């Protein structure tokens, strides 16, 4: 991995720019991502259905955080709050939930959900996840369908890791290309579709980034490898 002078990992540069093949991703800037999600906020639930999200997928991802009542959890790119119900159920009324997102449109829906359920311990913040700093260490961090939409995902991942307490859990859940020939065949369509919808770069492999950071991961795959939950525990002792 190389670092830019600003310290931001620059692996994505490999997919920027001038390749004339269709196997190419060009990162979108923050303004474009915000505008896209502001526009999609009303129809986003449709995508779970269109992309064949497995049953109870969000609940399973929240379970992998191994949260207990009273815990503190962050969802990065919380969007309209579709992961908030299982996270709230896990930490209960005494826990704290932080949801960070750059899209006001998406957060508006999440705020309405919290108001409707009278959840007073969900803190929703409109900001870049790289800038979020809670007052105390977190017990869990979730990237819910967001890692691949964040061009500087490596910087955000490393930042999130520093926010976790030793023994805390990090979960990335998302769709991905299926393995082997199937994945190679759907890649051009996936690139085409993602550029027009969720802006999730299908060439990014979050589980590899988490593995490098954490040293070991648990990886569960669903629907012939087209959905996954990747989980890791922050070591309680620093490596020798
Ligand atoms: C596909 S949506 C997922 C929403 C929700 N987590 C879910 O599971 O339905 C991805 C979200 O990531 C947010 N996002 C993208 N870049 C971000 C960043 N740098 N910081 C925080 N949120 C970001 C988008 O605004 C969008 O709401």
């Amino acid at each position: 991995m190389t670092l830019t002078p600003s310290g931001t990992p620059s692996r994505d540069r490999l997919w920027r720019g001038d390749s004339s093949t269709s196997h190419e991703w060009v990162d979108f800037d923050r303004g474009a991502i915000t505008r896209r999600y502001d526009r999609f906020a009303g129809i986003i639930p449709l995508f779970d259905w269109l992309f064949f999200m497995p049953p109870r997928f969000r609940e399973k991802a929240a379970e992998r955080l191994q949260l207990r009542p009273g815990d503190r959890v962050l969802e990065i790119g919380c969007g309209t709050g579709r992961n908030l119900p299982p996270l709230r159920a896990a930490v209960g009324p005494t826990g704290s939930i932080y949801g960070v997102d750059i899209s006001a449109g998406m957060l508006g829906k999440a705020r309405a959900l919290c108001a409707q359920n009278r959840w007073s311990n969900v803190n929703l913040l409109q900001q870049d996840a790289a800038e979020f700093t809670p007052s105390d260490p977190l017990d869990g961090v979730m990237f819910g369908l967001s890692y691949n939409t964040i061009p500087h995902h490596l910087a955000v991942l490393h930042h999130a890791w520093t926010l976790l307490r030793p023994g805390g859990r990090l979960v990335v859940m998302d769709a991905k290309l299926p393995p082997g020939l199937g994945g190679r065949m759907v890649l051009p369509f996936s690139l085409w579709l993602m550029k027009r919808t969720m802006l999730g770069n299908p060439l990014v492999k979050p589980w590899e980034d988490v593995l490098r950071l954490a040293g070991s991961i648990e990886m569960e795959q669903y629907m012939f490898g087209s959905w996954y939950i990747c989980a890791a525990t922050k070591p309680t002792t620093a490596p020798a």
Side-chain angles (χ1 to χ4, degrees):
M1 182 179 76
T2 54
L3 293 176
T4 64
S6 67
T8 306
S10 64
R11 197 186 59 169
D12 274 1
R13 283 169 191 280
L14 292 173
W15 300 312
R16 281 188 190 145
D18 43 18
S19 161
S20 58
T21 72
S22 60
H23 292 216
E24 174 193 349
W25 182 265
V26 179
D27 281 340
F28 290 75
D29 64 34
R30 196 196 299 197
I33 297 169
T34 307
R35 284 191 297 279
R36 175 68 57 89
Y37 276 99
D38 282 350
R39 207 145 43 86
F40 274 35
I43 57 164
I44 209 89
L46 272 182
F47 287 94
D48 289 8
W49 179 76
L50 279 175
F51 294 144
F52 301 104
M53 179 183 276
R56 292 197 71 254
F57 188 64
R58 295 176 184 281
E59 288 77 6
K60 284 179 191 152
E63 281 162 20
R64 301 307 174 260
L65 286 167
Q66 299 174 3
L67 295 166
R68 287 168 304 189
D71 274 355
R72 300 159 50 78
V73 62
L74 163 67
E75 183 180 359
I76 290 177
C78 63
T80 58
R82 294 173 62 76
N83 297 312
L84 294 179
L87 294 178
R88 176 61 169 67
V91 303
T94 58
S96 299
I97 302 158
Y98 299 94
V100 178
D101 204 289
I102 52 171
S103 160
M106 297 287 276
L107 283 173
K109 303 271 178 202
R111 291 206 169 94
L113 179 73
C114 293
Q116 192 187 330
N117 288 285
R118 303 207 170 115
W119 291 332
S120 56
N121 58 340
V122 182
N123 308 287
L124 298 171
L125 301 134
Q126 187 186 354
Q127 66 180 154
D128 192 302
E131 288 152 19
F132 172 72
T133 309
S135 52
D136 292 298
L138 300 167
D139 301 291
V141 175
M142 175 191 276
F143 286 85
L145 312 185
S146 59
Y147 192 90
N148 296 40
T149 69
I150 303 176
H152 52 301
H153 45 261
L154 268 182
V156 173
L157 174 66
H158 284 251
H159 177 61
W161 198 244
T162 66
L163 304 180
L164 265 184
R165 68 164 168 84
R169 298 272 293 170
L170 183 135
V171 163
V172 182
M173 61 91 134
D174 217 326
K176 70 175 184 65
L177 295 170
L181 181 63
R184 289 197 293 281
M185 284 174 69
V186 296
L187 176 61
F189 175 67
S190 177
L191 284 163
W192 180 88
L193 186 66
M194 283 296 126
K195 286 172 190 170
R196 283 155 187 82
T197 58
M198 321 291 267
L199 305 181
N201 179 353
L203 296 164
V204 169
K205 298 175 177 170
W207 55 93
E208 292 184 356
D209 297 338
V210 179
L211 179 60
R212 267 192 293 275
L213 183 63
S216 69
I217 57 169
E218 300 132 44
M219 183 80 175
E220 291 165 48
Q221 302 190 56
Y222 302 87
M223 307 286 279
F224 308 103
S226 58
W227 287 88
Y228 71 93
I229 299 170
C230 166
T233 304
K234 184 168 175 175
T236 45
T237 50

